[in-house]
Every structure is written in C-alpha cells, then in structure tokens.
Amino acid sequence: MKALGIICEYNPLHNGHIYHIQEALRISKAECIIAIMSGDYVQRGEPAILDKYTRTQIALDCGIDFVVELPAYYALSSAECFAEGALSICHALHVDNICFGSECNHIDKLQTLAAFLTNDSTAYKNTLKTYLSLGNSFAKSRSMTVTNILGSDYGKILEEPNNILGVEYIKAILKNNFDIKPLTIMRTGNGYNNSSDKGMYLSASGIREALKKNTPIDSYIPPSTLQFIETYRNQSKDKNFIHADDFSLLLWFQLSNILFKAESNPYQSTKKLTLSAKNYFIQYMTQFMDVTPELAASIYNHTIKWHTGRCNYSFSSFAESIKTKNYALSRIKRILFRIILGFDKEKSAQYNTLPYIKILGFNQKGRAYLKSIKKSVSVPIVTKTADYKDLLFIDIHAANIYNHVYKMQHDISILNDYIQSGSCLFRKDST
C-alpha cells in the first residue's frame, strides 16, 4: 500500500487543508494518507485552539487515514528540528512521499536549495558570517547569502515561511538518506500569517483571529471543524478558546521559582565559585534549548520587573519584551513554553533520535496500513499510553498542563492521555 505523509498542525483544519489533502492524493496516487500532526502545542509557540484528539477526529472526518502525534519536543522547536522529527516518523512508517504546500511550487528549486544548504560549503559559511557580522538576523543573512551565491530567485524562496519549511523537510531527507520523495503544491489563498479574506480560503491564523472577533467563518471551514468549534465555544465559560496568555500565571510561577533558586542557592559546587543570583539564573536558563547567556540575561531582567511588581506582564507581553532582531517572536514563545513545561536539555535528550511513534487515530484503511508495516517499524508504536508511560512522560506532562489550563480558564474538561488513548480514535467508515 503506497503511503503519503502530510506534516500538519490543523489549527484548525480549514478549506485550504481540504484542497491540500485532495491534491496531494491526486499527484502522489497514494492509497493511504498519514498526517504527522503537532499535539497540543504548535510551532509558532502557542497552544493549539482545539486539543489533539479533537483535531484528530476532524482530520479523520476530512480524508486523513492515519494520524500520528508529533511529540511536543519537536513541535516546540525550530523549523529544522520540527522537520527532522516529522521526517523521522515518516521514514519509520515507510512513507513513500510527503507533500507540502509552498509559495514557489517548484520542487526542483526547493531541492537545489536544500542540497546547497545541506552541503554547508566554505563559501556559504564565510558569506553568511559576513552578513551576520553586519548585524543582520540569521534569516535575513541566510537569504542574502543564498542570493549572493545562487541568485535572487533562490534568495527570495527563503523569504516565505512555507518555502522555508519545505526546504527543511527536504534537508532532513537528504541528511538522513531517507527513501522519501518530496512533492509540493502551490499554497492557495492568503499567506501563513495573513488574516485577510480571499475567496473560499482563509489561513488558520485568519480563522483564529476571526474567532477572537466572533466574526463568521462558516464558509472557510468544513462541517466537522465547525461542529467542534461550536461545541467548544458553547462549553467555554467565556466563549473563547485557549491561547498563550492563558499560560501567563504558569510562566510567572516557573520564572519566580528559578529566581528563588538563584537567590537562595548562589553556589556552583563543582567549580567552588560563588555566583551572583543573576549569574546563577543565567546559568540555569541555558539548560533550555536555544537560550543563550545574552537572552537569559534579558529574561532575568524582565523576571525581576515582573516578580517585584514593576511590570505586570502577560505571556505575550513578556515575549514581546525580550524579542530582538536575532530572536523572532515565535522562537521566543517556543522557548517560554519549554520553560513552562520544564523541557530542559537533559529531559529532551531522548529525542536526539526518534524514540517512539504515538498513534492518535485511524480509519479502516489506516488500521490496515499499520498492520501491514508494524513488524518492520524499528521504534515502539504506541496505541495505549499506559503501556509506555515512562517513555512518554514529557508528552503526558505537556498534555496534562494543556488540559488543566483549558479547564481552569475556560471550564472545558478534556480527558487525559491515559483515557483518550485507551484505544485509538477509530473511524469505522473509511474515507
């Protein structure tokens, strides 16, 4: 059975995603579509507006055969790490093709660019270093470097978010020698961050913005998405959905606890040096991926203001306060969520290689595909959380935090992973 992988968040699933599913199926001629979907947190550093099992049910209603959770570690990582995790799952599940939307819609150009970046030539490294030394951000420096060496057509590719993610998917294939053929289709409608109306398509960002404003979205989403959105809204005590600022108090507690440790235990016993509270805080913060000493110092300064009441930050305003030219807002928000969830480098080490595949749901076709490959999959396939609770402790913790915040802020109860995955979601009528 030929399998197609779609890497997604479905936050929420909309008409553009339906188009993508249908076109991907047409051009790949696949017999089974597997969605590798972020769980309760997404790559822009936010909670998903609907929980992962609800989004799984919507995906199964809309043409997906088999949904696998992208672990929170990968979902809350850079585009490169996000892609690496997703493609490792595709490879383990013997996926033949992946298909992603892109702004350029030229797979040959994307492959050329991915090969160039994977090669990491001396010319590339030296030119990149020059642009970085001029004070440009990494993203801008990389685009300028590619323009300098390959030409402006390739440099412009790296200015669009879906192109960038597509390049990262192909890089992961090349670096790991995965036997997966990438396919792309033109992204329809408006852009990734565009919230404006364009025909029958509106981006997920636009839909989430419309939900905040309580403006109609019926024409942009399939019936299954609309049904669950209305259910959530009717259940919510404030008629709203979960968002990053719902985690503000948790962020305050985590940062305050780290500050307490810094002020009460300013010693580094291994080197027998007395550290100031600030230096201890900085050293502690660098245990989290992507946190440099410079960023940790900024977090410390704003934590002091928040802790002492000089500033009353929300999650969003705190992220904005430490954003810099070299640290995009989405990167900052991912870091803050890793701090909230306690995802330090030590706990995250198990994800250096793919540790497991967690199934969220499937239909009859998906179940048949899983049965056909199960014996040849090299990592544990998890269909029941209780059987792998030690392996899944990070994802279980992340889901519990998400569920608790939804309950506390919006009075919506979500069953935990132990109950939800007692048996995978199963859609009897195969699509």
Side-chain angles (χ1 to χ4, degrees):
M1 191 182 295
K2 185 176 182 181
L4 166 73
I6 292 179
I7 301 158
C8 59
E9 293 180 334
Y10 293 157
N11 187 36
L13 191 148
H14 54 69
N15 290 345
H17 294 132
I18 298 289
Y19 172 81
H20 178 208
I21 292 167
Q22 293 171 346
E23 278 296 286
L25 188 62
R26 182 185 66 81
I27 65 175
S28 68
K29 296 181 173 56
E31 300 162 275
C32 180
I33 305 181
I34 301 172
I36 295 84
M37 188 183 77
S38 298
D40 293 320
Y41 305 88
V42 297
Q43 211 254 340
R44 64 173 63 228
E46 295 177 356
I49 65 167
L50 301 174
D51 74 272
K52 60 192 175 188
Y53 288 100
T54 296
R55 287 165 29 246
T56 294
Q57 185 61 68
I58 294 170
L60 295 175
D61 289 344
C62 293
I64 297 296
D65 299 310
F66 184 178
V67 183
V68 178
E69 181 176 0
L70 182 67
Y73 167 80
Y74 300 120
L76 287 171
S77 293
S78 66
E80 184 175 16
C81 186
F82 177 95
E84 189 86 21
L87 265 297
S88 295
I89 293 172
C90 288
H91 172 69
L93 292 173
H94 307 299
V95 163
D96 298 282
N97 298 110
I98 61 164
C99 184
F100 54 87
S102 65
E103 292 85 1
C104 78
N105 197 30
H106 289 288
I107 196 67
D108 291 342
K109 286 186 176 181
L110 293 170
Q111 287 178 307
T112 297
L113 184 50
F116 170 75
L117 294 173
T118 303
N119 185 45
D120 202 21
S121 67
T122 301
Y124 169 75
K125 288 187 284 190
N126 289 342
T127 308
L128 179 66
K129 186 176 180 180
T130 298
Y131 285 123
L132 286 170
S133 69
L134 296 174
N136 298 299
S137 68
F138 175 80
K140 185 175 181 180
S141 295
R142 188 169 73 159
S143 178
M144 293 168 72
T145 298
V146 168
T147 295
N148 184 290
I149 298 174
L150 296 182
S152 60
D153 284 354
Y154 288 95
K156 288 177 181 177
I157 288 174
L158 289 176
E159 295 175 2
E160 299 289 350
N162 292 282
N163 290 341
I164 292 171
L165 206 47
V167 167
E168 292 300 338
Y169 295 152
I170 300 170
K171 280 174 59 183
I173 291 171
L174 295 174
K175 283 166 59 180
N176 297 283
N177 198 30
F178 291 152
D179 186 19
I180 299 172
K181 182 180 179 181
L183 304 169
T184 191
I185 61 173
M186 177 69 78
R187 182 180 170 86
T188 58
N190 48 39
Y192 177 71
N193 291 311
N194 193 323
S195 60
S196 61
D197 183 342
K198 189 168 183 180
M200 66 180 293
Y201 299 112
L202 186 63
S203 70
S205 297
I207 290 169
R208 293 193 300 273
E209 191 63 30
L211 287 171
K212 287 180 185 177
K213 297 176 181 177
N214 202 25
T215 54
I217 56 167
D218 304 30
S219 61
Y220 305 114
I221 57 177
S224 183
T225 301
L226 180 62
Q227 174 192 337
F228 281 105
I229 280 177
E230 288 180 342
T231 298
Y232 266 64
R233 175 159 274 167
N234 290 336
Q235 289 177 342
S236 176
K237 65 183 178 184
D238 59 3
K239 304 300 180 186
N240 209 337
F241 296 85
I242 196 168
H243 50 84
D245 283 350
D246 289 337
F247 291 76
S248 299
L249 188 57
L250 283 177
L251 178 63
W252 185 88
F253 275 126
Q254 284 288 61
L255 293 175
S256 293
N257 283 336
I258 296 168
L259 184 64
F260 174 75
K261 290 178 183 178
E263 291 177 339
S264 62
N265 187 26
Y267 299 101
Q268 185 186 27
S269 59
T270 54
K271 293 184 180 179
K272 297 182 179 179
L273 294 174
T274 301
L275 298 176
S276 67
K278 181 174 182 177
N279 286 339
Y280 184 98
F281 186 98
I282 290 171
Q283 189 176 84
Y284 190 98
M285 274 292 160
T286 56
Q287 295 178 74
F288 295 96
M289 186 171 66
D290 269 359
V291 179
T292 62
E294 179 185 24
L295 179 62
S298 179
I299 294 174
Y300 172 82
N301 292 333
H302 289 283
T303 297
I304 290 290
K305 292 180 183 179
W306 198 2
H307 187 74
T308 57
R310 282 181 283 163
C311 288
N312 186 23
Y313 290 116
S314 64
F315 179 101
S316 297
S317 61
F318 191 89
E320 286 282 356
S321 73
I322 58 176
K323 181 185 70 173
T324 68
K325 181 169 54 179
N326 293 322
Y327 281 86
L329 185 59
S330 58
R331 185 180 178 188
I332 292 292
K333 291 194 294 184
R334 289 194 298 268
I335 287 170
L336 295 181
F337 263 105
R338 286 198 292 271
I339 292 170
I340 288 172
L341 299 172
F343 288 5
D344 59 29
K345 292 175 183 176
E346 182 180 355
K347 291 185 181 68
S348 302
Q350 68 166 322
Y351 295 98
N352 291 338
T353 57
L354 181 68
Y356 54 83
I357 292 172
K358 184 181 178 186
I359 312 299
L360 293 177
F362 44 65
N363 60 20
Q364 291 174 336
K365 192 186 297 181
R367 182 163 66 176
Y369 181 78
L370 180 60
K371 184 177 180 181
S372 72
I373 65 161
K374 197 167 186 178
K375 290 182 179 178
S376 63
V377 175
S378 58
V379 297
I381 295 178
V382 180
T383 56
K384 190 174 181 181
T385 297
D387 292 341
Y388 293 92
K389 61 183 180 181
D390 293 337
L391 195 59
L392 296 170
F393 77 100
I394 285 182
D395 277 328
I396 294 168
H397 173 68
N400 286 344
I401 294 292
Y402 177 95
N403 296 347
H404 181 73
V405 171
Y406 232 133
K407 177 62 178 176
M408 293 298 294
Q409 297 294 118
H410 304 283
D411 201 25
I412 294 177
S413 296
I414 299 171
L415 298 177
N416 67 36
D417 268 359
Y418 289 105
I419 298 172
Q420 291 274 26
S421 68
S423 59
C424 290
L425 287 174
F426 176 55
R427 191 174 190 274
K428 291 183 180 179
D429 52 326
S430 180
T431 54

